[in-house]
């Protein structure tokens, strides 16, 4: 499989935006630790294969993750990003961006991986505010993510529904609060039933637009993807029926 290059992001290996210069004491502190789960690339985005083909699918899965994590690391509200994955290629590429790679020790699915990632974050910083974020948000905008995090900060737990209004792309837990993820299927209803507050914001389409199908991919490309996904745009365009 041809690796996707992780160049094109305006930050250094520690996740700092190189365009901003040194931080000053007038800048608000970065509060949030994000947990991003990523399946092994050979298994990721299986529903997308029908639209883009078996060869392009894992390359796109990696590109989505690179653009998601790359954008998240430039959001001023984000202190750090922990990616839970056992994929060596993805781990190396995402670590090069400045993400912390956490081995998926449970190996028991998405929610177990997220709970493990949140635990790993709080082993180092017990008082951390944590948020789970999907790895397939290739058009993610740092400013829009910042608005979602700001809205989440007033609730013990909060979530953002996906573009379809059925699933969830974001779930947060304040300091000392269990993340209690319930992703998969109709997770919007599951997270609401668990007591998490739903974040109702307009103008945050890039945080809602995950990619599972060819139609989702078309929408994300129209929003404007990050550099890793954009680098594969020509390959996507020649795939019939995407």
């Amino acid at each position: 499989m041809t690796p996707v290059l992780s160049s094109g992001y305006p930050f250094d290996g520690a996740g700092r935006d190189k365009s901003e210069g040194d931080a000053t004491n007038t800048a608000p502190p970065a509060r949030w630790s994000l947990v991003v789960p990523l399946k092994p690339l050979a298994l990721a985005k299986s529903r997308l294969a029908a639209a883009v083909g078996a060869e392009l699918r894992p390359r796109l899965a990696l590109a989505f993750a690179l653009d998601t994590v790359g954008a998240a690391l430039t959001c001023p509200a984000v202190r750090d990003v922990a990616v839970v994955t056992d994929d060596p290629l993805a781990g190396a590429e995402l670590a090069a961006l400045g993400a912390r790679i956490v081995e998926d020790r449970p190996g028991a699915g998405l929610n177990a991986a997220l709970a493990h990632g949140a635990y790993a974050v709080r082993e180092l910083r017990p008082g951390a505010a944590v948020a789970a974020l999907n790895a397939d948000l290739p058009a993610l905008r740092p400013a829009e993510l910042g608005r979602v995090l700001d809205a989440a900060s007033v609730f013990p737990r909060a979530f953002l529904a996906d573009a379809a209004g059925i699933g969830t792309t974001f779930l947060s837990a304040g300091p000392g609060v269990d993340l209690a993820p319930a992703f998969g299927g109709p997770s919007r209803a599951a997270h609401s039933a668990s007591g998490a507050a739903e974040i109702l914001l307009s103008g945050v389409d890039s945080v809602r637009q995950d990619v599972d199908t060819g139609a989702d991919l078309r929408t994300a490309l129209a929003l404007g993807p990050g550099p890793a996904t954009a680098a594969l745009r020509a390959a996507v365009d020649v795939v019939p029926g995407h």
Side-chain angles (χ1 to χ4, degrees), residues 26-145:
T26 61
R31 176 182 181 193
W32 291 91
S33 290
L34 303 189
V35 179
V36 177
L38 181 62
K39 288 181 180 180
L41 297 177
L43 304 175
K45 299 287 101 189
S46 58
R47 291 170 57 194
L48 197 57
V52 302
E55 182 178 350
L56 186 56
R57 175 193 54 76
R59 297 175 64 199
L60 281 169
L62 176 55
F64 297 165
L66 288 169
D67 287 333
T68 300
V69 172
L73 283 168
T74 67
C75 176
V78 174
R79 176 168 178 159
D80 49 32
V81 176
V83 178
V84 184
T85 188
D86 285 334
D87 190 281
L89 173 61
E93 293 271 352
L94 291 162
L97 293 184
R100 173 188 176 191
I101 306 304
V102 178
E103 182 183 355
D104 186 5
R105 292 179 192 163
L110 174 58
N111 291 310
L114 286 169
H116 175 61
Y119 176 81
V121 166
R122 286 174 168 167
E123 272 193 312
L124 296 179
R125 290 199 302 124
V130 299
L133 186 69
N134 283 16
D136 58 349
L137 302 170
L140 184 64
R141 300 288 185 268
E144 293 183 13
L145 176 60

Side-chain angles (χ1 to χ4, degrees), residues 89-236:
L89 173 61
E93 293 271 352
L94 291 162
L97 293 184
R100 173 188 176 191
I101 306 304
V102 178
E103 182 183 355
D104 186 5
R105 292 179 192 163
L110 174 58
N111 291 310
L114 286 169
H116 175 61
Y119 176 81
V121 166
R122 286 174 168 167
E123 272 193 312
L124 296 179
R125 290 199 302 124
V130 299
L133 186 69
N134 283 16
D136 58 349
L137 302 170
L140 184 64
R141 300 288 185 268
E144 293 183 13
L145 176 60
R147 290 184 62 214
V148 171
L149 290 167
D150 184 59
S153 66
V154 301
F155 300 105
R157 291 173 65 242
F159 71 93
L160 185 74
D162 64 10
I166 298 171
T168 308
T169 59
F170 169 95
L171 173 69
S172 66
V177 179
D178 187 11
L179 186 63
F183 286 81
S187 61
R188 179 185 189 181
H191 285 132
S192 181
S194 76
E198 181 167 5
I199 297 169
L200 301 173
L201 285 176
S202 61
V204 292
D205 293 348
S206 75
V207 195
R208 297 183 187 275
Q209 190 56 63
D210 56 351
V211 177
D212 289 317
T213 67
D216 295 335
L217 179 57
R218 286 193 295 273
T219 302
L221 292 175
L223 284 173
T229 303
L232 295 176
R233 178 66 182 263
V236 173

